[in-house]
Amino acid sequence: TIHQECSRNLHRDLIYLKQFGCSVGVALCPATSISTLDYILDDIDRILIMSVDPGFKGGRLVPSVFNKLRDTRALVKECGLNIEIAVDGNVSFEHIPKIVASGADTLVLGSSGLFIQGRTLDSSLEQLNEVIKQGLEDRDG
């Protein structure tokens, strides 16, 4: 998965990786428009929506990410493509239901939603299943 903001020629980089049989994706920072995907959608397998500004552990979730997820899901559906939509950054129990309801297929989990100090992995996984289920129940289509 390549950060769009770090690539001089995103299409060329994606095609190069695909030549080696790689599954490829594009990561978008919170303020990067999904319109950057318009001419590469047919070439990617996943879109990673960053829900925090990358670079620092513990960043605050940018609230506009929920609209971005809905818009991304609608774009992928409209194009009739099978592209995974992932989210990374402050993917916490508090935010997961809305993240999933807004369109995320994959959650990148870290210290906000899985490896929580003072909790067992089993208890985190149990709660994770509950909040994902809640988000799926609230998802439109």
Side-chain angles (χ1 to χ4, degrees):
T1 299
I2 302 171
H3 273 269
Q4 183 275 336
E5 301 84 2
C6 297
S7 176
R8 283 188 165 178
N9 188 323
L10 184 58
H11 183 259
R12 179 186 61 209
D13 293 343
L14 293 167
I15 297 306
Y16 179 76
L17 291 171
K18 286 184 80 120
Q19 289 175 15
F20 296 99
C22 295
S23 169
V24 297
V26 175
L28 302 177
C29 287
T32 301
S33 172
I34 65 169
S35 66
T36 194
L37 303 171
D38 285 349
Y39 299 104
I40 60 167
L41 275 176
D42 290 329
D43 299 309
I44 60 176
D45 303 298
R46 95 190 39 76
I47 301 164
L48 175 64
I49 303 294
M50 299 299 300
S51 53
V52 301
D53 288 310
F56 303 98
K57 178 182 171 186
R60 292 177 45 100
L61 183 130
V62 177
S64 62
V65 76
F66 302 116
N67 288 331
K68 189 173 191 173
L69 280 166
R70 282 189 283 277
D71 293 346
T72 302
R73 188 164 191 81
L75 175 65
V76 168
K77 186 176 182 178
E78 176 185 311
C79 294
L81 298 169
N82 185 24
I83 298 174
E84 169 192 4
I85 301 171
V87 176
D88 185 8
N90 200 345
V91 179
S92 65
F93 297 128
E94 174 189 355
H95 297 128
I96 289 172
K98 195 167 181 182
I99 289 171
V100 171
S102 298
D105 301 308
T106 301
L107 307 172
V108 179
L109 299 167
S111 59
S112 298
L114 187 59
F115 304 107
I116 300 170
Q117 190 171 12
R119 284 190 77 153
T120 66
L121 187 56
D122 285 340
S123 68
S124 290
L125 288 171
E126 186 177 319
Q127 187 172 357
L128 181 62
N129 284 323
E130 291 173 18
V131 293
I132 289 172
K133 182 179 177 185
Q134 179 185 344
L136 289 171
E137 289 171 357
D138 295 339
R139 182 179 280 185
D140 296 331

